[in-house]
Amino acid sequence: NDSLTLSYLKHTTTMAANSKGSAVLAIVAYSLCSSMMLVVNKLAIKSFPVPAAVTMFQFAFAAFFCFALRLTGAQVDTLQWSTVKQYLIYIFAFAAGIYSNMKALDASNVETIIVFRSCTPLCVAVVEFLFLNRELPSAKSTLSLCLTMAGAYAYVQADHDFNVGGVAAYFWVFCWYFLLCFQMTYGKMLMGSTKLSTWGLVLYQNFLSIPIMLALGLHVGDFKELNTVAVGSYAPLWLGISSLIGVAIGYTSWWCRGLISATSFTLVGVVNKMLSVLVSVTFINQNASQQQIVSLLVCLLAGTLYSQAPLRGEADKKSE
């Protein structure tokens, strides 16, 4: 709405004042947490194969951590209905995105998701131009986004398991794709309109996600397996570590999102994913072809070419 957009535009002025050093630090911290989370989550799910339960535990741990942090005097915002109402849209999109991602993976495969995920920065760049007062990416940055997408496509083309299970797969993939683009841009607008601290943002996202994930787990039948599932001996360890990293990624993701544009943040997510895949195929799954490794390197190098598009009118002020 207009008030949300206006609040966002005021927030962008503050964002522009942040130093490049802080943005680089935030990107590095978020990237490290994101990469570790991918590996640890795999171990947690392998030890306790009930995804909804694992995710709910992580959400609850992060929320409890924020409540405990507030007792120490740290700046953690209280839950207020006026703010909760704004976040409900984001949280429902977040939950629907998880559900559609599950359906897409059920009908297709991970490689298909990688291709569509690599296309999200292009969509987010257009949305930022239309609604968030930001210029379109420069020719060099557009080339960076296109090369990232091309590298991901070349990677999955070299994968023998790359196939899509008909129209149903594309339906759920597209649902997930547009929901993810919405989350990236709407989340950016929320930061300017709600005026929450970074820890407050972590609290709202995790606390409000608990009932949504509970409903989702009941709907897909995850909790029916709790009595029969084989729990690994290291399950408590991996659940604990994944929850701690979950707190860290919650903080660093909102910190990073506050310092860079939605498109830049989306591209960082794509490059993180491709970097994790590169580490996996190099050190864990060593059956990757030369084309796959080269394709992943193209994605990573393409990410270094991207420069954040300025706010509309910002470039004109600098030239004056």
Side-chain angles (χ1 to χ4, degrees):
N1 55 43
D2 292 340
S3 60
L4 189 61
T5 303
L6 181 60
S7 297
Y8 167 77
L9 295 178
K10 291 179 180 178
H11 173 68
T12 55
T13 304
T14 303
M15 184 189 74
N18 287 289
S19 67
K20 290 184 178 180
S22 297
V24 171
L25 183 60
I27 290 172
V28 171
Y30 171 63
S31 298
L32 288 175
C33 292
S34 179
S35 299
M36 287 190 295
M37 192 64 170
L38 179 64
V39 176
V40 174
N41 260 347
K42 287 183 179 179
L43 295 170
I45 292 295
K46 185 176 181 180
S47 300
F48 192 70
V50 185
V54 172
T55 307
M56 272 192 63
F57 183 85
Q58 293 170 346
F59 287 158
F61 182 89
F64 175 81
F65 184 91
C66 291
F67 284 125
L69 199 62
R70 185 194 297 162
L71 296 177
T72 68
Q75 187 180 357
V76 182
D77 303 89
T78 58
L79 294 170
Q80 297 181 353
W81 177 240
S82 59
T83 306
V84 168
K85 286 190 295 184
Q86 294 186 63
Y87 264 85
L88 285 178
I89 299 175
Y90 176 84
I91 296 301
F92 275 115
F94 174 70
I98 291 178
Y99 181 75
S100 59
N101 182 252
M102 290 180 178
K103 296 292 289 185
L105 286 171
D106 183 53
S108 56
N109 52 37
V110 175
E111 287 73 28
T112 308
I113 300 301
I114 290 176
V115 172
F116 276 82
R117 180 69 173 84
S118 68
C119 299
T120 52
L122 285 171
C123 180
V124 174
V126 174
V127 174
E128 280 201 294
F129 172 75
L130 294 175
F131 301 106
L132 301 186
N133 197 44
R134 192 167 290 278
E135 297 283 0
L136 287 171
S138 65
K140 180 182 175 182
S141 295
T142 301
L143 176 63
S144 168
L145 299 179
C146 291
L147 283 176
T148 302
M149 184 172 59
Y153 182 74
Y155 169 81
V156 299
Q157 281 295 309
D159 194 298
H160 296 296
D161 295 328
F162 179 64
N163 55 76
V164 180
V167 178
Y170 278 112
F171 172 78
W172 287 111
V173 170
F174 273 114
C175 286
W176 167 77
Y177 174 82
F178 287 113
L179 284 167
L180 180 62
C181 293
F182 173 78
Q183 290 173 51
M184 292 297 178
T185 50
Y186 190 74
K188 184 70 177 177
M189 294 177 70
L190 280 176
M191 294 196 72
S193 64
T194 57
K195 310 299 183 184
L196 296 178
S197 65
T198 305
W199 282 117
L201 290 164
V202 176
L203 173 62
Y204 271 75
Q205 177 168 285
N206 286 278
F207 184 79
L208 296 178
S209 294
I210 295 173
I212 304 296
M213 187 53 62
L214 174 61
L216 180 62
L218 291 171
H219 178 72
V220 300
D222 266 13
F223 299 118
K224 294 179 181 178
E225 303 175 8
L226 286 175
N227 295 327
T228 59
V229 70
V231 179
S233 57
Y234 290 102
L237 173 66
W238 295 125
L239 276 175
I241 294 176
S242 68
S243 297
L244 286 171
I245 298 176
V247 174
I249 199 173
Y251 181 87
T252 57
S253 64
W254 284 110
W255 178 30
C256 184
R257 182 178 280 172
L259 295 174
I260 60 179
S261 69
T263 304
S264 299
F265 182 73
T266 308
L267 181 62
V268 169
V270 173
V271 173
N272 283 345
K273 184 176 290 292
M274 303 311 290
L275 178 60
S276 299
V277 173
L278 178 61
V279 172
S280 177
V281 301
T282 304
F283 298 104
I284 301 175
N285 174 25
Q286 298 183 353
N287 297 321
S289 67
Q290 186 177 20
Q291 179 181 335
Q292 287 178 297
I293 294 176
V294 171
S295 299
L296 290 169
L297 289 174
V298 168
C299 290
L300 296 177
L301 292 174
T304 65
L305 297 175
Y306 184 81
S307 297
Q308 178 170 290
L311 294 172
R312 206 167 299 161
E314 194 174 86
D316 295 336
K317 291 180 181 179
K318 290 182 179 181
S319 63
E320 291 177 355

PDB file of all heavy atoms in Angstrom, residues 97-110:
ATOM      1  N   GLY A  97       5.471 -20.610   0.615  1.00  0.00           N
ATOM      2  CA  GLY A  97       6.661 -20.871  -0.182  1.00  0.00           C
ATOM      3  C   GLY A  97       7.296 -22.194   0.175  1.00  0.00           C
ATOM      4  O   GLY A  97       7.736 -22.950  -0.706  1.00  0.00           O
ATOM      5  N   ILE A  98       7.348 -22.499   1.479  1.00  0.00           N
ATOM      6  CA  ILE A  98       7.898 -23.786   1.918  1.00  0.00           C
ATOM      7  C   ILE A  98       7.043 -24.931   1.396  1.00  0.00           C
ATOM      8  O   ILE A  98       7.560 -25.941   0.894  1.00  0.00           O
ATOM      9  CB  ILE A  98       7.976 -23.837   3.462  1.00  0.00           C
ATOM     10  CG1 ILE A  98       9.041 -22.856   3.963  1.00  0.00           C
ATOM     11  CG2 ILE A  98       8.283 -25.250   3.940  1.00  0.00           C
ATOM     12  CD1 ILE A  98       9.159 -22.799   5.471  1.00  0.00           C
ATOM     13  N   TYR A  99       5.717 -24.777   1.496  1.00  0.00           N
ATOM     14  CA  TYR A  99       4.820 -25.846   1.047  1.00  0.00           C
ATOM     15  C   TYR A  99       4.939 -26.065  -0.464  1.00  0.00           C
ATOM     16  O   TYR A  99       5.048 -27.205  -0.938  1.00  0.00           O
ATOM     17  CB  TYR A  99       3.380 -25.499   1.404  1.00  0.00           C
ATOM     18  CG  TYR A  99       2.393 -26.564   0.985  1.00  0.00           C
ATOM     19  CD1 TYR A  99       2.285 -27.744   1.695  1.00  0.00           C
ATOM     20  CD2 TYR A  99       1.584 -26.385  -0.134  1.00  0.00           C
ATOM     21  CE1 TYR A  99       1.391 -28.733   1.314  1.00  0.00           C
ATOM     22  CE2 TYR A  99       0.686 -27.363  -0.526  1.00  0.00           C
ATOM     23  CZ  TYR A  99       0.589 -28.531   0.201  1.00  0.00           C
ATOM     24  OH  TYR A  99      -0.290 -29.501  -0.191  1.00  0.00           O
ATOM     25  N   SER A 100       4.937 -24.979  -1.240  1.00  0.00           N
ATOM     26  CA  SER A 100       5.030 -25.118  -2.692  1.00  0.00           C
ATOM     27  C   SER A 100       6.393 -25.670  -3.097  1.00  0.00           C
ATOM     28  O   SER A 100       6.507 -26.415  -4.080  1.00  0.00           O
ATOM     29  CB  SER A 100       4.772 -23.770  -3.379  1.00  0.00           C
ATOM     30  OG  SER A 100       5.694 -22.791  -2.949  1.00  0.00           O
ATOM     31  N   ASN A 101       7.437 -25.343  -2.328  1.00  0.00           N
ATOM     32  CA  ASN A 101       8.765 -25.899  -2.592  1.00  0.00           C
ATOM     33  C   ASN A 101       8.761 -27.416  -2.382  1.00  0.00           C
ATOM     34  O   ASN A 101       9.358 -28.165  -3.173  1.00  0.00           O
ATOM     35  CB  ASN A 101       9.792 -25.236  -1.685  1.00  0.00           C
ATOM     36  CG  ASN A 101      11.198 -25.730  -1.942  1.00  0.00           C
ATOM     37  OD1 ASN A 101      11.764 -26.470  -1.131  1.00  0.00           O
ATOM     38  ND2 ASN A 101      11.781 -25.349  -3.060  1.00  0.00           N
ATOM     39  N   MET A 102       8.075 -27.872  -1.320  1.00  0.00           N
ATOM     40  CA  MET A 102       7.956 -29.304  -1.079  1.00  0.00           C
ATOM     41  C   MET A 102       7.223 -29.999  -2.213  1.00  0.00           C
ATOM     42  O   MET A 102       7.623 -31.069  -2.689  1.00  0.00           O
ATOM     43  CB  MET A 102       7.224 -29.565   0.243  1.00  0.00           C
ATOM     44  CG  MET A 102       7.998 -29.195   1.493  1.00  0.00           C
ATOM     45  SD  MET A 102       7.013 -29.541   2.977  1.00  0.00           S
ATOM     46  CE  MET A 102       8.165 -29.065   4.261  1.00  0.00           C
ATOM     47  N   LYS A 103       6.129 -29.379  -2.673  1.00  0.00           N
ATOM     48  CA  LYS A 103       5.349 -29.965  -3.768  1.00  0.00           C
ATOM     49  C   LYS A 103       6.156 -30.001  -5.058  1.00  0.00           C
ATOM     50  O   LYS A 103       6.084 -30.962  -5.833  1.00  0.00           O
ATOM     51  CB  LYS A 103       4.062 -29.166  -3.976  1.00  0.00           C
ATOM     52  CG  LYS A 103       3.100 -29.198  -2.808  1.00  0.00           C
ATOM     53  CD  LYS A 103       2.484 -30.573  -2.605  1.00  0.00           C
ATOM     54  CE  LYS A 103       1.496 -30.911  -3.694  1.00  0.00           C
ATOM     55  NZ  LYS A 103       0.805 -32.192  -3.454  1.00  0.00           N
ATOM     56  N   ALA A 104       6.926 -28.924  -5.302  1.00  0.00           N
ATOM     57  CA  ALA A 104       7.752 -28.869  -6.504  1.00  0.00           C
ATOM     58  C   ALA A 104       8.822 -29.952  -6.479  1.00  0.00           C
ATOM     59  O   ALA A 104       9.081 -30.621  -7.486  1.00  0.00           O
ATOM     60  CB  ALA A 104       8.397 -27.490  -6.636  1.00  0.00           C
ATOM     61  N   LEU A 105       9.448 -30.149  -5.314  1.00  0.00           N
ATOM     62  CA  LEU A 105      10.469 -31.187  -5.191  1.00  0.00           C
ATOM     63  C   LEU A 105       9.867 -32.576  -5.333  1.00  0.00           C
ATOM     64  O   LEU A 105      10.504 -33.496  -5.856  1.00  0.00           O
ATOM     65  CB  LEU A 105      11.181 -31.063  -3.842  1.00  0.00           C
ATOM     66  CG  LEU A 105      12.169 -29.901  -3.706  1.00  0.00           C
ATOM     67  CD1 LEU A 105      12.644 -29.766  -2.265  1.00  0.00           C
ATOM     68  CD2 LEU A 105      13.354 -30.098  -4.633  1.00  0.00           C
ATOM     69  N   ASP A 106       8.629 -32.728  -4.869  1.00  0.00           N
ATOM     70  CA  ASP A 106       7.951 -34.023  -4.988  1.00  0.00           C
ATOM     71  C   ASP A 106       7.663 -34.352  -6.448  1.00  0.00           C
ATOM     72  O   ASP A 106       7.737 -35.511  -6.865  1.00  0.00           O
ATOM     73  CB  ASP A 106       6.640 -33.996  -4.183  1.00  0.00           C
ATOM     74  CG  ASP A 106       5.932 -35.337  -4.218  1.00  0.00           C
ATOM     75  OD1 ASP A 106       6.558 -36.355  -3.888  1.00  0.00           O
ATOM     76  OD2 ASP A 106       4.742 -35.360  -4.592  1.00  0.00           O
ATOM     77  N   ALA A 107       7.346 -33.338  -7.247  1.00  0.00           N
ATOM     78  CA  ALA A 107       6.990 -33.563  -8.649  1.00  0.00           C
ATOM     79  C   ALA A 107       8.201 -33.505  -9.575  1.00  0.00           C
ATOM     80  O   ALA A 107       8.162 -34.070 -10.670  1.00  0.00           O
ATOM     81  CB  ALA A 107       5.954 -32.535  -9.097  1.00  0.00           C
ATOM     82  N   SER A 108       9.277 -32.788  -9.156  1.00  0.00           N
ATOM     83  CA  SER A 108      10.449 -32.680 -10.029  1.00  0.00           C
ATOM     84  C   SER A 108      11.691 -33.066  -9.240  1.00  0.00           C
ATOM     85  O   SER A 108      11.762 -34.134  -8.666  1.00  0.00           O
ATOM     86  CB  SER A 108      10.544 -31.266 -10.609  1.00  0.00           C
ATOM     87  OG  SER A 108      10.575 -30.298  -9.566  1.00  0.00           O
ATOM     88  N   ASN A 109      12.694 -32.185  -9.196  1.00  0.00           N
ATOM     89  CA  ASN A 109      13.917 -32.488  -8.461  1.00  0.00           C
ATOM     90  C   ASN A 109      14.641 -31.209  -8.070  1.00  0.00           C
ATOM     91  O   ASN A 109      14.223 -30.108  -8.417  1.00  0.00           O
ATOM     92  CB  ASN A 109      14.846 -33.399  -9.293  1.00  0.00           C
ATOM     93  CG  ASN A 109      15.089 -32.825 -10.689  1.00  0.00           C
ATOM     94  OD1 ASN A 109      15.202 -31.615 -10.856  1.00  0.00           O
ATOM     95  ND2 ASN A 109      15.149 -33.680 -11.687  1.00  0.00           N
ATOM     96  N   VAL A 110      15.736 -31.389  -7.320  1.00  0.00           N
ATOM     97  CA  VAL A 110      16.491 -30.253  -6.812  1.00  0.00           C
ATOM     98  C   VAL A 110      17.071 -29.415  -7.946  1.00  0.00           C
ATOM     99  O   VAL A 110      17.122 -28.182  -7.877  1.00  0.00           O
ATOM    100  CB  VAL A 110      17.624 -30.738  -5.872  1.00  0.00           C
ATOM    101  CG1 VAL A 110      18.501 -29.575  -5.438  1.00  0.00           C
ATOM    102  CG2 VAL A 110      17.048 -31.447  -4.666  1.00  0.00           C
TER     103      VAL A 110
END
